[in-house]
Amino acid sequence: MPMKAWCKDSFRISFGIFITIAIFVAVVPNLTAQNDPSTSRLRSLNNQLLTMYGRLLSSPAGDASALRSQAATVIEQRAAILGNLIQTDPAKPLGLAFSQDVLANLAGAFPQSASQLESAGTWEGQLNWVVAMKPDLINYRDLRRLTIGSESYEVYFAQREPAGMKCRDILRVRGIRVDTRIAAADANIQSVAAAGGCNTIGDQKTVVLLVTFPGTPAPTIDPASVNNIFFGSAGRSVSEYWREASYGVTSASGGVFGWYTLDAVYTCDQYSAIKTAAIKAADPEVNFTQYSRLAIIFPSSSCSWAGLAEVGCGTISSADGTVTGSTAWMLSNYFTPSSTLSDYGVKLATHELGHNLGLHHSSSRDFGAEALGAPGTAGTLSEYGDVFSTMGSWNLGHYPAPHKKMLNWMTEGGTIRTVTSNGSFSVQPFEMGAGTLQALKIQRGTGGSDWVWLEFRQPVGNYDSTLGLQIFSGATIHYQDSTTGIHTHLLDLTPETSSWTDPDLAATKSWIDNYTNLRIDVTGATPSTLNVDVTYGPIPCLPANPTVTLSPPNPSVYAGSSVNYAVTVTNNDSLGCSPRVFNLSSSQPSTWPSVFSQSLPTISPSSSTSTTLTKSVPTGIAEGMYVVDSSAQSSGNTGTGYANATVVPPVPPLTATLSGPTPTYPTNSTVPITATVLQGSAPASGASVTFTLTRPDASKTTKTVLTGSNGQATWNYKVNPKGQTGPYQVTAQSTYGSQTVTAAAIGFTVQ
């Protein structure tokens, strides 16, 4: 496979224009989220469903069947759109899903379709996380599943996943679920998976299985050559890569087994089944409890990915027992003799097994005409854009310093120096043995929470020596902020060129951060030392647009009443600016009066404060979903946040009455107790009725029954032959949608 060329836009824009665009982009996503085809269609379906619900509440009982049939089609269509949006852009469905009270009412009104409505809640379970790498090294997919008991759910994060998350962690997510897909508004690691025998230091015991499928001949790949790719000590291999990159603390050993023909033909998406079948096929020959790493290599002409791997360690289960261990799946065409000449097997295996160690991709982060944009600016990420790390595109480069720190191959206070004040530093080559200063972790500006990582690459050893020459000219710099997670983000310190093959800040060059008081000077370089000065000057004042958020994202409200939002404003000015006051306003919906509970106090840079926005809904406005906004403005800087409001039709009151045929019963008889539940004058079909019966001795028993289409639920209570005689009392609590009502008690006597 040819090396992918990674280029930046050849068209460059001036600094002033770039700032304008960056400010515009910070505002526009909320607007575009309201207008793209999927969300527009979802909003339309939401409004149709609310209209049908309103008609159901006010129509004669005879019209209910037709309305429920129409609603079933709408509910099915919106479930499909919600499910797709959860996969592609999970933040959008979180803002367009109905609130819990609306969902409860819709489920009661349309019980046959209730299972297709989204549910809002919190889910907690064990995580399995697999990354699939596409051969084009442009596209990839994170496959995250949360196992809760016997159920498994796909999880998609609206924001970056929790820091350090990996397989087998116990994860709690809050959001919405459609079928088996969860859009997570936020997530927290409840407990970290124990390493067991699966860690990043020491000899990584690895078993490699070569497997094929019925009807597919085994490729002409010699197991001995695969053994050399993984464990060889001469030339390049996974083991020697790890040994060199870890400064001798990590390596790999093990064996290659196969070829095995599996028991069935599996698709590439059935990777879990391939793993189970491969272990079963090799079990008579392999004691899997002796290994903590499993690699499966198989042929395929239809796979959409080149390799796939767990992030961290899952489990390896065989007839010998279950152990903590990681799994990677790779296509055999990267291990053919011709591919071996280009080290594709080593490149692919060190990448996929890097995921197994707990790493994500080495990306590039482009800020156009600048090396680095303002704090909080996303820039443009190229997922595999780092051509100097095997966790990026096809290359043999060492894992970057932030990744080596995650693996405990480098340590702060040891080979990494944390820099928060002025200083001069002599950085040794990144490839040299441990015990020297090999990386700087530099605070981005006084008091900042982001970091600039600096390392010095040289053509030393078997791996970095294969890289392009410019990477050896000076400081290689990566950026870490709240979005980085377990990725690394390479910066381009030569933004004036169109290539990502020359990112270094070369000797005698300087970089001045346009947004903080940080300056880095590379004062000199020899093959053995890079001399670097770090300076923190006066903190500049750089005004920026504020960030505005509204919560909750989509509350329900009746026409003629009001709805409240918590409006949070964050001052994004640089730390050198003075605190300032922001003026608040709300323009959408334009006919809804707006009141803020208080004026915002003065907000310091990088700080936030909140107030309450009350929107009054005019009487007579149609049910439906409406966009609500709030803006904060100060001295030419404006930020706008968005939410929704769902105007629901007024719900008729819920009533429940109890009845029994006669006032007295003998022992050893059946007492039919009926609850009739109405919403307004219409039967409440599918209401949950909990009967509570109190015996003469004050002991109690309960029974829950659902109402039928006539709104009635009957409990046939059996009085035992030796049952108590005397007065009995029955009450019933009925729940329908978001409404709950308790029926007046009735009594009967057993004689």
Side-chain angles (χ1 to χ4, degrees), residues 222-517:
D222 183 6
S225 70
V226 177
N227 189 84
N228 285 334
I229 289 171
F230 279 85
F231 311 116
S233 58
R236 288 187 276 268
S237 68
V238 174
S239 179
E240 290 306 306
Y241 173 90
W242 279 349
R243 191 188 310 277
E244 180 179 303
S246 70
Y247 315 108
V249 300
T250 299
S251 59
S253 67
V256 178
F257 299 87
W259 293 85
Y260 301 105
T261 300
L262 302 188
D263 57 357
V265 176
Y266 296 96
T267 68
C268 294
D269 289 337
Q270 295 175 299
Y271 54 88
S272 292
I274 291 174
K275 174 182 176 179
T276 300
I279 291 174
K280 181 179 179 181
D283 229 347
E285 191 176 0
V286 179
N287 182 353
F288 286 94
T289 63
Q290 302 303 305
Y291 300 96
S292 60
R293 309 286 177 193
L294 168 62
I296 302 172
I297 298 173
F298 63 94
S300 175
S301 60
S302 60
C303 257
S304 62
W305 43 264
L308 185 147
E310 292 177 325
V311 179
C313 291
T315 56
I316 300 172
S317 297
S318 68
D320 303 307
T322 297
V323 295
T324 300
S326 65
T327 305
W329 298 255
M330 290 167 275
L331 298 189
S332 60
N333 51 298
Y334 296 97
F335 296 87
T336 62
S338 60
S339 293
T340 301
L341 293 175
S342 301
D343 289 311
Y344 280 125
V346 177
K347 293 172 184 176
L348 179 61
T350 52
H351 180 103
E352 300 304 336
L353 272 68
H355 288 312
N356 289 165
L357 293 175
L359 307 179
H360 214 306
H361 293 140
S362 291
S363 307
S364 61
R365 194 161 169 180
D366 193 342
F367 293 91
E370 300 180 288
L372 182 57
T377 304
T380 301
L381 282 173
S382 177
E383 185 67 20
Y384 299 93
D386 188 342
V387 298
F388 306 102
S389 163
T390 188
M391 295 310 295
S393 70
W394 293 99
N395 71 86
L396 291 165
H398 281 208
Y399 303 143
H403 272 168
K404 289 191 181 184
K405 179 182 180 294
M406 295 178 203
L407 300 176
N408 293 316
W409 294 356
M410 299 178 72
T411 59
E412 291 190 54
T415 52
I416 302 169
R417 182 77 54 82
T418 301
V419 181
T420 59
S421 60
N422 295 349
S424 297
F425 306 92
S426 294
V427 181
Q428 275 65 58
F430 196 53
E431 303 78 9
M432 290 180 61
T436 60
L437 176 60
Q438 293 170 294
L440 301 178
K441 181 184 177 183
I442 304 168
Q443 185 177 41
R444 188 186 182 190
T446 302
S449 58
D450 304 329
W451 300 89
V452 174
W453 289 72
L454 183 150
E455 60 197 46
F456 176 43
R457 303 264 183 145
Q458 286 294 285
V460 176
N462 282 334
Y463 301 95
D464 274 3
S465 59
T466 65
L467 303 176
L469 293 179
Q470 202 274 344
I471 197 69
F472 309 129
S473 66
T476 304
I477 293 179
H478 296 83
Y479 185 48
Q480 177 187 333
D481 64 4
S482 62
T483 71
T484 307
I486 57 174
H487 285 71
T488 57
H489 292 162
L490 177 68
L491 296 181
D492 183 15
L493 273 295
T494 62
E496 65 276 7
T497 72
S498 61
S499 172
W500 271 99
T501 61
D502 59 350
D504 268 17
L505 182 64
T508 73
K509 299 293 185 179
S510 301
W511 173 66
I512 300 173
D513 189 352
N514 291 320
Y515 303 96
T516 73
N517 61 334

